[in-house]
Each structure stands twice: as C-alpha cells, then as structure tokens.
Amino acid sequence: MKAIVQDAYGSADRLELREVERPVPRDDEVLVEIRAAGLGPEVWHLMTGRPLVARAVLGLRRPRNPVRGWDGAGRVEAVGAKVTDFEPGDEVFGSCEGSFAEFARAKAAKLALKPAGLTFEQAAALPVSAATALQALSGPARPKPGQKVLVIGASGGVGCYAVQLATMYGAEVTGVCGPGGADFVRAQGAAHVIDYTTEDITSSGPHRYDVVIDNAGQRPLPVLRRVLAPRGTLVIVGGEGGTALFGGLSRGLRAVLLSPFAAQNLRNLVAVIRRKDLLTLKDLAENGALVPPVDRAYRLAETAEAVRHLEKGHPRGKLVITVP
C-alpha cells in the first residue's frame, strides 16, 4: 500500500510517499481503508519528536511507527477475531495508527460509525480535535448558561470546536485569534473576538472569565490566572513552546501542582480518544450542533506541503489529507 513514511525525526522534508506492507489487525483491532485523515499539531509533534521527553513513548532514536497520521475516516476492510462491533464495509471514523496511508490499524474501542450526512473529509476532521475540545469543556470546565468563556487559539482545530461547544452550552464566548480570523471565529459562535496582535487578553480588565481554554500554549500562567474569575477554571491544552526537553508540558505541570493551593481550578488536559466521546460527537454532528470546519484538503502525495502550511500559518479549522 502507499503511505507517508518517516524514518527519522525532523522537518516535513523527512516525509516520503512510499510503498509499504499493509498492516494486519490484531484481535481487538480493525483494518480501515482510509479515505481521509485529519492533520493537526499532534502530527507535528510526532514528526519532530518534540518535546524530547515524548520520545520515551514515540521512540528514542526514531519513530516506532514510521507511518504518520492519527485521525482517520474510511471503510472497514477487515476485523480482528475479538471484534464484534464492526464488520467489513462499515463507514467509521476515529483514531488510527498511521492514518496517512491507504490502510491503517485502529483499536475497535477508538472507532465509531461515521456520522450520517458527513463526508469522509469532515468526519476525519473530528476525532482528536473535537474530542479534545469536548474533554476540555467537561467537569468543572463545563460552562453554565450565561457564563463567560475565553478560548485562546479559537481559529485552530481544537479551538474552533471549543467555541462551538461552549456556545452550544449557552456560554458567552470570546475567541482569541490572529489577523484575518475574526469572521471565522464569529461563524463558530463567538460573541466577541480578540486579535492577539493588536489587543492583549488582559486589556479589558481582570477576573472576567468563568472558564479559560488555552490551546495556544505561550502565555505565562500568571497572565491566564489574571483574566480568570476567582473561582474559575483554566484548562491548558497541549504543550506548545517551552524548552526542547519538556516543551510546554512544564507549564501544565505547574498549573496542576498549584491548583490544590488556589481557589481557581487549574487543569492540564491530555486527551484520550474513547468511543464514548466519538459517539457524542457523532450525535452532535448528525444533529447539526457541531460542524467540522475543513480549512483545506490535500492529497496523500501533498502531505509534506500540508504540514508546512500547518507550521507556517494559522489554518482556520482543520487540514485534511485525502486518500487515495
């Protein structure tokens, strides 16, 4: 089969379209014929091996799995001996191992039937980013109607879903984005937009927001706490910036360690893809409450170009790789 392969950590120049062996599903896995795959920052981290501490899981010297890709949508080609929830021909979406390929293995527990009415491209834009937003806005971070929510990185993959979900819950949402992204963020449901190049999030005064979802990963913890209500909830998503060793993970760790001693609830989110959340996303998408915004679709052979677009700019919504 054709796949995007990376033999060593590095830039998008390391990505190659090659012929590799088709994977064989284990007993609890499904082999999916991939029709589309989502591209987000998590793929960039896998590609570069950053932060370095993540290589303990990804592979110390080189990627354990050389085929890139995480999100996927397609048709079931074969199922493992213990899989009873799916059968060949089913249209599915979820988290796959190496989805930038014609076929990929996936744990059955990390798949769900594709939402009716969505294209494969739209379905592939959902799993990691939308599930992350769903988990970020859960528990104490689930806003009540009328509460104020700040979403930093509101035009990105996770951020656009966080804006949609918070708006659906009845919150008054302010989205933070770069130049040119305001109309897109408003279209996701934001009542207010801050362009971070011209206005600081603290410029309108302290203690404004009941919930702050930070997807951008650059602002210091004291700045985020300054705009958070005295008993509000901060959720740090991802680990951008920081040192080569720990990246932005150190900021999330500091938040977790400080939280027991603060009136504010400070959380660091490491999202886990679960069928339960995929089924929730499926229902929301089928009801029209959640709309996957696809910024641009690239062919499999154009994956390196797609990654460079992700690195350079600020995609509005999700980038998608189409297969074949």
Side-chain angles (χ1 to χ4, degrees), residues 137-217:
L137 287 163
S138 65
R142 169 113 178 214
K144 297 178 177 61
Q147 287 191 320
K148 294 183 178 181
V149 174
L150 179 71
V151 178
I152 302 172
S155 62
V158 175
C160 67
Y161 289 120
V163 171
Q164 289 189 45
L165 289 169
T167 302
M168 183 188 73
Y169 296 148
E172 180 184 330
V173 181
T174 298
V176 181
C177 64
D183 288 343
F184 173 79
V185 173
R186 287 193 182 93
Q188 308 312 304
H192 315 284
V193 178
I194 295 174
D195 180 343
Y196 67 82
T197 65
T198 60
E199 184 181 359
D200 188 82
I201 62 171
T202 61
S203 61
S204 297
H207 310 311
R208 298 187 61 214
Y209 301 102
D210 302 287
V211 177
V212 174
I213 307 295
D214 181 19
N215 304 294

Side-chain angles (χ1 to χ4, degrees), residues 9-10 44-62 64 239 241-249:
Y9 294 118
W44 182 88
H45 285 291
L46 288 170
M47 182 185 77
T48 59
R50 297 294 182 96
L52 295 176
V53 69
R55 296 192 186 190
V57 176
L58 304 177
L60 292 176
R61 295 180 179 274
R62 61 183 62 85
R64 284 201 178 99
T243 64
L245 181 60
F246 291 105
L249 298 176

Side-chain angles (χ1 to χ4, degrees), residues 5-224:
V5 178
Q6 178 191 11
D7 295 321
Y9 294 118
S11 70
D13 295 338
R14 296 277 190 179
L15 301 177
E16 297 180 23
L17 178 63
R18 297 211 306 249
E19 291 281 344
V20 299
E21 295 244 350
R22 183 186 296 190
V24 177
R26 299 187 178 99
D27 285 352
D28 61 344
E29 292 179 336
V30 171
L31 182 65
V32 180
E33 180 187 7
I34 299 294
R35 298 296 304 276
L39 170 61
E42 70 282 351
V43 174
W44 182 88
H45 285 291
L46 288 170
M47 182 185 77
T48 59
R50 297 294 182 96
L52 295 176
V53 69
R55 296 192 186 190
V57 176
L58 304 177
L60 292 176
R61 295 180 179 274
R62 61 183 62 85
R64 284 201 178 99
N65 177 20
V67 181
R68 296 280 63 91
W70 204 266
D71 285 328
R75 290 189 176 91
V76 173
E77 175 74 9
V79 299
K82 295 182 180 178
V83 175
T84 59
D85 300 314
F86 303 103
E87 59 185 26
D90 285 344
E91 296 184 347
V92 296
F93 77 116
S95 178
C96 304
E97 186 175 343
S99 61
F100 294 170
E102 293 179 319
F103 295 89
R105 290 166 32 209
K107 293 279 188 185
K110 294 188 176 185
L111 290 176
L113 293 177
K114 182 176 76 67
L118 291 194
T119 64
F120 285 112
E121 289 80 8
Q122 290 173 313
L126 275 171
V128 171
S129 293
T132 300
L134 186 69
Q135 292 172 28
L137 287 163
S138 65
R142 169 113 178 214
K144 297 178 177 61
Q147 287 191 320
K148 294 183 178 181
V149 174
L150 179 71
V151 178
I152 302 172
S155 62
V158 175
C160 67
Y161 289 120
V163 171
Q164 289 189 45
L165 289 169
T167 302
M168 183 188 73
Y169 296 148
E172 180 184 330
V173 181
T174 298
V176 181
C177 64
D183 288 343
F184 173 79
V185 173
R186 287 193 182 93
Q188 308 312 304
H192 315 284
V193 178
I194 295 174
D195 180 343
Y196 67 82
T197 65
T198 60
E199 184 181 359
D200 188 82
I201 62 171
T202 61
S203 61
S204 297
H207 310 311
R208 298 187 61 214
Y209 301 102
D210 302 287
V211 177
V212 174
I213 307 295
D214 181 19
N215 304 294
Q218 300 292 335
R219 290 169 181 79
L221 192 56
V223 172
L224 297 174

